Amino acid sequence: MGRRPRLGGWRVTGPRAFLLAASFLITLGSFAVLPYMSVLLHQRLGLGLGTVGIVLAVASLVQFSGGVAAGALAARIGSRATMLTALAVRTAGFAAFVPGTTSPVLAVGAVFLVSCGAALYLPANKAYLVEGADEADRPRLLSASGAAFNAGIALGPPAAAPFVLGSPTVLFSCVTALFALVGIGHALLPPAAARPVADEARDATGDADQPQRHDDGLPPFAVTVLSVYVFMFFQHYLALYAVPRTSVAYYGAVLTGYACLLVIAQPLLSRWIAALAYRDAMKVGFGSMAAGMAVIAYGGHTGIGAGAALMCVGEVVLFLKNDLEALARSSAAPASVFGRQRLAAGLGAFGSGVVGGQVYAGAEAMGSARGFWLAVCLQALLLPVLLTAVVRRRIRASIPEPGSERPSSQRQRPPRG
């Protein structure tokens, strides 16, 4: 058997190495197109901004909530077959954009095909990476996957910028060909590896419902909702705040630096993040986000740049730890776990979108957009505390007091008839 390639000082199998490379290519192709959808639908095809907003909102909801369907499909046909199905759907979607550059109906249909494919792909992708891997290797695999995705996100938009409006047919044709080639590569992958021996032993001893480790009762689904909710304020509204106070060029530099920091920091910090207790990870993650929002409120080039770096630390810690904790606490298949995590992220993003516009408009009406960032800072500090208090109360309520339960023979029986 050939030697396994090394990644960051540890060995990774050939199929996983291919999947990490494919993750970069898939995101590169996707983000060569998706960030420009509003421009294409509005300026080239003439759709109203209200219609464009509805199309993109529904497509985003499909992309996030469809992760649950991905988990169910992977449980039935396997993670490799689910990835192939997802790539076939996405390839068809990008191919439909070619004639769709002159047809609003085809373009909107293509948007939804691409969103459906994305919904199916990511949970199956992550599941294939971690299935059969030791628990100690999962943080590094997931962090490497995140780095590959973020690298594609960073490079996709600038690579496509010269072609978006001038030669969109060439752009969509190239992206379609890229996805077709990546799909062929996926078809050559072996089936996902078997479950780790430790997991099989837990099943054999009847301990499948027990988490592999458990340091508190905080539910990863709820923490993920909260993490994405806080983070999306930064992603949605930084441009509105930063560009008038600095410049478009500086804002672009901040985004590029942010993406580079994600690519570098997440793999480097993965083992440290995995070793953190969940409560400590929440303190570090939400604390960094709160500090980042406060520094952004200070304004100026320094405040916006430093605030973005702090937000990056919060994202790195929370997003990876939430996935690891969800895996460790569930006996479900990894694809189902990641599908639920995608749903949680979608709920958080939706809530942030609903609340954020109102809060930002209110802050501007009061003549101080800085108040928006301070309001989000307070939410990042208070909401995790409230969630922890609610969870503790529910745990205490579920524990019966000593002597409060009578023997089963003395319990009151319900009346007959």
Side-chain angles (χ1 to χ4, degrees):
M1 182 181 295
R3 294 173 61 86
R4 294 179 177 180
R6 287 184 176 272
L7 182 66
W10 53 286
R11 297 189 184 281
V12 60
T13 63
R16 289 192 177 110
F18 166 80
L19 206 59
L20 292 173
S23 297
F24 166 73
L25 293 175
I26 286 171
T27 317
L28 178 72
S30 298
F31 277 80
V33 173
L34 298 181
Y36 301 106
M37 273 298 100
S38 58
V39 176
L40 290 167
L41 293 175
H42 177 59
Q43 293 187 7
R44 188 174 184 89
L45 296 174
L47 295 181
L49 287 176
T51 302
V52 171
I54 292 173
V55 169
L56 296 182
V58 175
S60 297
L61 184 61
V62 168
Q63 184 170 333
F64 280 108
S65 62
V68 177
L73 184 63
R76 178 174 293 272
I77 67 174
S79 55
R80 182 187 63 169
T82 302
M83 286 191 292
L84 285 171
T85 302
L87 288 171
V89 172
R90 293 185 87 177
T91 303
F94 286 115
F97 273 122
V98 176
T101 54
T102 58
S103 170
V105 174
L106 282 176
V108 171
V111 169
F112 285 111
L113 280 174
V114 170
S115 296
C116 289
L120 293 176
Y121 183 80
L122 188 58
N125 172 286
K126 287 186 174 182
Y128 190 98
L129 281 174
V130 302
E131 283 173 345
D134 294 333
E135 189 177 359
D137 288 335
R138 288 178 171 180
R140 293 175 289 194
L141 287 168
L142 291 177
S143 64
S145 175
F149 275 107
N150 285 310
I153 291 171
L155 296 178
F163 307 99
V164 171
L165 293 178
S167 306
T169 302
V170 173
L171 173 63
F172 292 131
S173 298
C174 291
V175 172
T176 301
L178 174 64
F179 270 80
L181 290 173
V182 170
I184 293 172
H186 279 68
L188 301 177
L189 288 173
R195 298 180 68 190
V197 174
D199 288 351
E200 294 175 355
R202 288 169 59 239
D203 288 345
T205 57
D207 293 331
D209 331 345
Q210 301 300 320
Q212 294 171 329
R213 54 186 171 78
H214 180 84
D215 54 25
D216 50 49
L218 291 168
F221 185 92
V223 179
T224 300
V225 172
L226 191 55
S227 302
V228 177
Y229 170 81
V230 172
F231 173 76
M232 293 304 285
F233 287 108
F234 166 78
Q235 187 170 79
H236 284 158
Y237 299 102
L238 183 64
L240 285 175
Y241 181 80
V243 171
R245 290 163 177 80
T246 56
S247 66
V248 175
Y250 182 77
Y251 175 67
V254 167
L255 293 186
T256 302
Y258 189 98
C260 292
L261 185 57
L262 276 176
V263 171
I264 295 170
Q266 196 170 65
L268 289 178
L269 297 177
S270 61
R271 297 185 69 180
W272 173 71
I273 294 170
L276 282 176
Y278 202 21
R279 292 184 190 275
D280 292 337
M282 287 179 63
K283 292 175 183 177
V284 173
F286 285 112
S288 295
M289 286 190 179
M293 300 291 185
V295 174
I296 289 172
Y298 177 77
H301 292 75
T302 303
I304 291 170
L310 287 167
M311 288 297 300
C312 183
V313 173
E315 179 186 353
V316 165
V317 173
L318 285 175
F319 287 20
L320 177 58
K321 188 63 176 181
N322 287 337
D323 278 353
L324 292 173
E325 201 70 15
L327 276 175
R329 295 187 184 207
S330 177
S331 60
S336 296
V337 174
F338 290 125
R340 289 196 295 266
Q341 288 296 98
R342 288 285 289 172
L343 175 59
L347 293 174
F350 179 78
S352 181
V354 171
V355 174
Q358 303 299 321
V359 176
Y360 200 93
E364 282 197 329
M366 296 171 58
S368 176
R370 292 180 176 179
F372 170 82
W373 300 104
L374 295 177
V376 179
C377 172
L378 289 176
Q379 290 187 78
L381 293 173
L382 296 178
L383 291 178
V385 176
L386 292 176
L387 175 62
T388 302
V390 170
V391 170
R392 284 177 176 173
R393 178 175 296 181
R394 293 185 66 178
I395 291 175
R396 285 197 296 265
S398 66
I399 301 175
E401 296 180 4
S404 61
E405 290 191 0
R406 292 176 292 177
S408 58
S409 60
Q410 299 180 13
R411 291 176 185 164
Q412 184 177 0
R413 294 175 179 170
R416 295 183 179 178

